[in-house]
Amino acid sequence: MKVSLNWLKKYVDIKADVKELSEKLSLAGLEVEAIKTIGDLSDNIVVAEILSREKHPNADRLSLCKVNVGKDADLQIICGASNCDAGLKVPVALIGAEMPGGMKIKKTKLRGILSEGMICSSVELGLAENAEGILKLGTESRVGANIKEIFKADTVIEIEVTPNRPDWLSHIGVAREIAAIEKTKLKLPKLNLLEEADISVHELASVEIKDQELCPRYTARVIKDVTIKSSPDWLKDALLSVGLRPINNVVDITNYVMLECGQPLHAFDYNKLADHLIVVRTADKNEKITTLDETELSLTSKNLLIADSEKAVALAGIMGGATSEIDLRTTDILLESAAFNATNIRRTAKELGLSTDSSHRFERGCDFDMVEFASARATQLLCELTGGKLASGMIDVKAESKSAEIVCRYDAVNKTLGTDISSVEIVSIFERLELPIVKENTQSCTIKCPSFRLDLEREIDLIEEIARIYGLNNIPAVPILARIGGERKEDSYYKMQNIRENLLALGLDECMNYSFINKNDALKNTGITEDSLVELLNPISEDMAVMRPVMLPSMLKVLNHNISRKNNDLSIFEIGKTIVRNKNKISEAYQTCILVSGRVHPERYSTEKAREYDFYDLKGIVEGFLDAQGNSDYRFEPVNSKMFSDGISAELFLADKRIGILGEVSDKLTSGMRLQYPVFAALINIEKLLDLKVPVPSHKDIPATPSTTRDISFTCTNSLTHQEVIDAVRDFDCTVLESVELFDIFYDKSIGENKKSMAYSFIYRDSMKTLKDKTVNKIHCKLTNHLISSLDIEIR
């Protein structure tokens, strides 16, 4: 929200300088984002009149203008704007003028023709961020006058307005806060309406509200015999200071009052309204409306409209319609000031992709009582600046409105804030904030919430108001009472962070997804049943309709996003919660999903070729992760799952408890993706890992004694698994056996049907002494015999 300091001074006396004022506002909750000085213009910028306009002989888009600047000789200025018509009064920068951007005006030739100055737009004068052509000045402006006489130097303060304070979206609202901070009075504009027309507004128009929940109040006034023309300079100056482009006196007045009071208004051409009737209703199915910006919109039955007896004339609270807009032929006006349902305006603006100054205010909530004041304020200005005559009375259709009352206990204030504020000071703060006190005693006071304070609901809200105005910097610092908790290693966050760091150390990149997914994705080949899904009552979209019961669908979205952008080499993980329903009970569990696809490494300049990820790469990552967690009691068993390809998946067990599954992702889950490589994923329930103690990092000395290696090759049935061999080796319980590794699997008819050959390498080492071959041979022979007796194998 941009507010003009000159404008604010109309409503409140400001003694502090801009820097001090901005600091006080920020401490009170109105965070000041920027401060800008405008209108501090050069003395060589004057009011001029364009006497004639001719086409530039050497350029299609340039005009040759003869300009009267109040001196003996007229000037010749070349202008590129399309609206530099003869008869207009405009700002002209003379030779030697320095513009706000630092540019100095010099005599120059454009396409061979001399130009003796510059006709300025509001952007070039630093008064606005954008403009359509040159700035037109009022016809009453005196030719030759310094532009400073029209545009006074001003300071614009840009404030970050929180969604719960729509009253700050107006100069009066900000002035009210300043008055409370500075302990002074708020001065509202004085209203003096002269009803000059000899007819009542009730004879000229009528209003009907079909749905009072969506429109609790609608007021209408009629002003006849208006003249549409350019606004006076003071009004243009005010609008330009906060970045709005002047249009004509009627539109400018409605914009001015909106920025002044925070209440959006709309002016209809009275004679374009069929039967002079206003109907506030929801749109018919597939009804269309063309808005002021010439956009045709298709509506639904949830969109609120302002209509006459035949057609829609405005999109309620957002934008007017083209069929009833004000133009130069308008003579009579119907002025709308209304209150609309914030939720409905917000939904409509979002659905239609429209965001206007009006919708920005209505979707945050409007001041029910300000509707009438803003109508009267705008009507007074319309009568003054358009020469119009006001029909007597005002149409006011409204629902009942009740103001809530909140009790504020003095001891609760000081207990919450840690202060010793007196009851007198508390009451004074409420009065400065214009929060009426309806009851008061020695223990508490009761506040009646004014209509402009939609955010006040509970006692704690009033305590926050006291803290803001009393001054957060005046609240004393109190030592924090801390208690000794458990050890850091017992903290769940520390354990979770340890898991994250171990996965990152394995070369994986972390992803973060929403906890909501599409319902079809949750059910598609995941083995999840529909009755186990937790559906949202009011989802943001269909793609976020259910809580994710498993993390794989979210990770596949990440995969698809990357491969569609030619990033095919992925090694990623995510840690998050999965949520499922079991009958009437909803359970949550932490899960991590590891996903790899593409090349382990690209092809290098040496003889090393590129290699793709396979199942064993993923299995190795999972093993490395579990080892880093200090868990060695794990194993893998083959399994079939809908999420993974048959024969390329396994279950993960930790101490005989199933904690995960891994394998090659099924083609049914990746259909439609432009995959170049297979996809492998692991899903691990890390709740079990959180229950375990985080291992203390340790190190082992580099062995001082040499190792020795022995191999075993044997034939066996195809059903024998590597895990069974490892389990048999562990049962042997040899203290000098350092490691065992499978280095070959061989299939051939010469071995026999349904048989294979497996070859293992065993490394022996004694950390205290060098093992002799005789000793190793003896141990290895015992191990071989143990395997023969434990497994159905034949040594080759």
Side-chain angles (χ1 to χ4, degrees):
M1 171 69 185
K2 293 180 179 179
V3 292
S4 158
L5 193 60
N6 289 345
W7 202 340
L8 284 173
K9 289 177 179 178
K10 295 180 180 180
Y11 317 114
V12 64
D13 294 328
I14 301 175
K15 298 178 181 178
D17 59 30
V18 176
K19 184 178 180 181
E20 184 183 353
L21 178 63
S22 65
E23 289 176 354
K24 289 182 177 180
L25 288 173
S26 294
L27 286 172
L30 291 84
E31 184 179 351
V32 175
E33 292 190 320
I35 300 173
K36 182 181 178 182
T37 300
I38 63 171
D40 189 10
L41 302 172
S42 169
D43 291 332
N44 282 342
I45 303 177
V46 299
V47 176
E49 183 179 4
I50 301 176
L51 301 176
S52 64
R53 174 187 180 184
E54 299 177 3
K55 183 179 175 299
H56 192 293
N58 303 322
D60 293 336
R61 297 185 179 181
L62 297 179
S63 300
L64 196 61
C65 299
K66 186 177 181 181
V67 178
N68 174 17
V69 295
K71 296 184 180 181
D72 294 337
D74 298 330
L75 300 182
Q76 177 178 274
I77 298 177
I78 298 173
C79 182
S82 60
N83 63 337
C84 55
D85 299 322
L88 292 180
K89 289 186 178 179
V90 294
V92 166
L94 304 176
I95 303 302
E98 184 172 349
M99 306 306 291
M103 178 181 69
K104 289 188 177 181
I105 304 301
K106 301 177 182 178
K107 281 187 179 182
T108 186
K109 284 189 176 182
L110 295 175
R111 297 290 181 93
I113 304 294
L114 182 67
S115 181
E116 300 174 293
M118 181 173 72
I119 304 175
C120 304
S121 68
S122 56
V123 173
E124 289 157 341
L125 294 176
L127 301 175
E129 295 179 359
N130 51 65
E132 296 179 4
I134 59 173
L135 177 60
K136 301 176 184 179
L137 302 178
T139 55
E140 71 280 4
S141 301
R142 181 174 60 85
V143 173
N146 193 299
I147 200 70
K148 290 181 178 181
E149 296 180 12
I150 299 174
F151 299 110
K152 307 296 182 183
D154 196 2
T155 299
V156 175
I157 304 173
E158 190 166 350
I159 298 172
E160 174 67 27
V161 177
T162 54
N164 67 323
R165 293 301 303 268
D167 56 306
W168 288 346
L169 292 170
S170 67
H171 281 74
I172 288 178
V174 175
R176 183 184 290 114
E177 293 295 317
I178 295 173
I181 295 167
E182 296 284 272
K183 298 182 180 181
T184 185
K185 293 290 184 180
L186 177 68
K187 300 177 290 185
L188 294 179
K190 293 182 180 180
L191 301 179
N192 183 23
L193 294 182
L194 298 176
E195 298 173 347
E196 298 179 1
D198 296 331
I199 191 168
S200 167
V201 67
H202 298 282
E203 299 177 50
L204 297 174
S206 56
V207 173
E208 181 182 352
I209 300 177
K210 297 286 188 180
D211 191 335
Q212 280 207 324
E213 183 178 348
L214 299 184
C215 178
R217 188 174 192 184
Y218 193 100
T219 68
R221 296 182 190 267
V222 174
I223 302 98
K224 299 183 70 65
D225 301 330
V226 301
T227 301
I228 307 301
K229 58 183 178 180
S230 180
S231 298
D233 290 335
W234 69 265
L235 180 52
K236 289 181 180 179
D237 191 12
L239 296 179
L240 287 168
S241 69
V242 293
L244 280 188
R245 180 173 59 88
I247 298 173
N248 60 51
N249 51 356
V250 173
V251 176
D252 293 350
I253 288 168
T254 58
N255 285 334
Y256 179 86
V257 174
M258 176 186 70
L259 294 170
E260 180 183 56
C261 304
Q263 170 66 36
L265 306 167
H266 189 72
F268 296 100
D269 187 320
Y270 171 79
N271 296 309
K272 294 179 182 177
L273 297 174
D275 297 326
H276 307 310
L277 171 67
I278 290 291
V279 181
V280 185
R281 61 172 175 83
T282 53
D284 297 328
K285 188 176 181 180
N286 298 324
E287 186 172 0
K288 297 181 183 298
I289 184 174
T290 301
T291 53
L292 289 171
D293 59 358
E294 301 298 328
T295 302
E296 185 178 72
L297 301 173
S298 295
L299 308 176
T300 69
S301 58
K302 295 180 180 180
N303 303 139
L304 189 66
L305 288 175
I306 309 299
D308 58 19
S309 61
E310 299 174 355
K311 61 191 178 299
V313 294
L315 196 57
I318 301 176
M319 188 179 289
T323 58
S324 61
E325 76 173 305
I326 303 296
D327 56 36
L328 293 175
R329 295 169 295 180
T330 299
T331 57
D332 304 321
I333 293 171
L334 185 143
L335 179 67
E336 166 196 286
S337 181
F340 299 111
N341 180 279
T343 303
N344 179 267
I345 300 300
R346 182 164 54 249
R347 183 191 298 118
T348 299
K350 183 178 180 181
E351 286 176 356
L352 300 177
L354 281 176
S355 181
T356 62
D357 289 329
S358 177
S359 68
H360 183 72
R361 285 163 173 78
F362 275 127
E363 65 190 23
R364 283 160 175 76
C366 58
D367 181 352
F368 192 86
D369 294 338
M370 182 58 76
V371 169
E372 184 175 356
F373 179 88
S375 175
R377 173 66 168 153
T379 300
Q380 179 180 357
L381 292 173
L382 285 168
C383 292
E384 291 175 2
L385 303 182
T386 68
K389 296 179 180 179
L390 175 63
S392 62
M394 177 184 75
I395 299 174
D396 189 0
V397 182
K398 61 181 177 180
E400 288 188 14
S401 175
K402 294 182 179 180
S403 297
E405 294 184 355
I406 306 174
V407 176
C408 180
R409 297 163 297 160
Y410 304 137
D411 61 339
V413 173
N414 290 313
K415 185 177 180 180
T416 303
L417 301 180
T419 54
D420 189 21
I421 307 175
S422 67
S423 59
V424 175
E425 177 67 9
I426 291 172
V427 169
S428 173
I429 289 173
F430 288 146
E431 289 175 345
R432 282 149 53 192
L433 287 168
E434 296 190 359
L435 304 180
I437 298 174
V438 293
K439 295 179 185 177
E440 186 180 357
N441 55 48
T442 57
Q443 303 297 320
S444 66
C445 61
T446 302
I447 303 302
K448 184 177 181 180
C449 296
S451 60
F452 61 83
R453 290 304 302 271
L454 304 177
D455 59 310
L456 299 180
E457 297 177 351
R458 302 169 295 169
E459 182 183 48
I460 194 66
D461 297 327
L462 296 178
I463 295 174
E464 182 183 359
E465 291 303 295
I466 294 168
R468 285 194 317 109
I469 304 304
Y470 180 73
L472 298 177
N473 53 326
N474 295 324
I475 297 176
V478 178
I480 297 174
L481 296 176
R483 295 181 179 178
I484 298 176
E487 296 182 32
R488 181 188 176 197
K489 62 183 181 181
E490 298 300 324
D491 187 86
S492 60
Y493 171 80
Y494 176 73
K495 294 179 180 179
M496 187 68 72
Q497 186 62 19
N498 184 66
I499 289 174
R500 177 175 287 105
E501 288 174 356
N502 286 334
L503 289 168
L504 291 169
L506 290 166
L508 304 174
D509 295 317
E510 186 175 10
C511 300
M512 294 183 70
N513 290 296
Y514 288 112
S515 298
F516 322 113
I517 60 173
N518 185 286
K519 184 177 182 179
N520 293 333
D521 291 340
L523 298 174
K524 181 181 176 183
N525 269 75
T526 58
I528 303 295
T529 57
E530 188 168 357
D531 58 356
S532 66
L533 295 179
V534 177
E535 299 189 36
L536 301 182
L537 295 177
N538 186 24
I540 298 173
S541 67
E542 289 187 5
D543 286 336
M544 296 184 177
V546 300
M547 304 298 291
R548 62 181 174 191
V550 64
M551 297 185 69
L552 186 57
S554 299
M555 293 294 278
L556 291 177
K557 291 279 188 183
V558 176
L559 170 72
N560 191 38
H561 180 83
N562 277 270
I563 63 175
S564 65
R565 287 157 179 80
K566 306 300 182 183
N567 183 22
N568 297 300
D569 301 328
L570 296 171
S571 53
I572 56 179
F573 78 94
E574 182 183 8
I575 297 173
K577 279 190 175 182
T578 57
I579 301 176
V580 294
R581 185 192 301 277
N582 186 3
K583 295 183 179 178
N584 293 326
K585 184 180 178 182
I586 295 176
S587 59
E588 302 180 13
Y590 275 107
Q591 188 178 86
T592 184
C593 179
I594 302 171
L595 184 145
V596 295
S597 181
R599 300 171 297 174
V600 179
H601 60 76
E603 187 170 348
R604 300 197 172 109
Y605 65 88
S606 65
T607 57
E608 190 176 4
K609 300 294 184 182
R611 186 174 70 80
E612 300 175 11
Y613 280 107
D614 60 21
F615 173 81
Y616 296 102
D617 288 309
L618 176 64
K619 182 172 177 283
I621 291 172
V622 173
E623 290 174 338
F625 167 60
L626 294 173
D627 289 340
Q629 291 295 124
N631 305 307
S632 58
D633 187 15
Y634 58 84
R635 59 188 173 84
F636 300 88
E637 290 187 5
V639 71
N640 287 327
S641 169
K642 288 186 176 182
M643 290 187 287
F644 300 103
S645 302
D646 292 341
I648 317 178
S649 59
E651 286 183 302
L652 173 61
F653 290 85
L654 180 66
D656 295 327
K657 291 185 179 179
R658 183 185 184 278
I659 66 165
I661 187 171
L662 65 155
E664 182 181 359
V665 178
S666 169
D667 292 340
K668 294 179 180 178
L669 285 174
T670 58
S671 61
M673 298 184 189
R674 299 176 181 177
L675 293 176
Q676 296 185 23
Y677 306 99
V679 182
F680 300 91
L683 298 166
I684 304 172
N685 182 355
I686 57 176
E687 294 278 347
K688 304 296 182 184
L689 303 181
L690 291 173
D691 294 337
L692 301 174
K693 287 188 176 181
V694 176
V696 177
S698 61
H699 74 278
K700 292 182 179 180
D701 292 334
I702 297 174
T705 58
S707 65
T708 184
T709 304
R710 297 290 186 273
D711 295 340
I712 293 179
S713 178
F714 56 80
T715 59
C716 61
T717 61
N718 287 341
S719 60
L720 183 67
T721 64
H722 170 66
Q723 187 65 49
E724 289 176 303
V725 177
I726 295 299
D727 290 342
V729 172
R730 286 175 178 167
D731 290 341
F732 183 63
D733 194 21
C734 177
T735 57
V736 296
L737 179 59
E738 185 174 85
S739 65
V740 57
E741 181 180 350
L742 173 66
F743 67 86
D744 184 51
I745 301 178
F746 177 69
Y747 298 89
D748 193 84
K749 291 182 180 180
S750 62
I751 299 174
E753 292 293 333
N754 296 322
K755 286 195 172 186
K756 61 184 176 182
S757 172
M758 303 178 74
Y760 284 85
S761 179
F762 297 85
I763 298 177
Y764 298 92
R765 189 198 307 269
D766 189 330
S767 61
M768 304 302 295
K769 62 183 179 181
T770 301
L771 291 172
K772 295 181 179 180
D773 284 345
K774 184 178 179 179
T775 304
V776 173
N777 290 339
K778 186 177 180 180
I779 296 172
H780 189 65
C781 183
K782 288 182 179 180
L783 174 58
T784 303
N785 291 332
H786 173 74
L787 293 177
I788 293 172
S789 62
S790 303
L791 305 169
D792 184 16
I793 62 173
E794 294 180 11
I795 301 298
R796 296 186 68 187

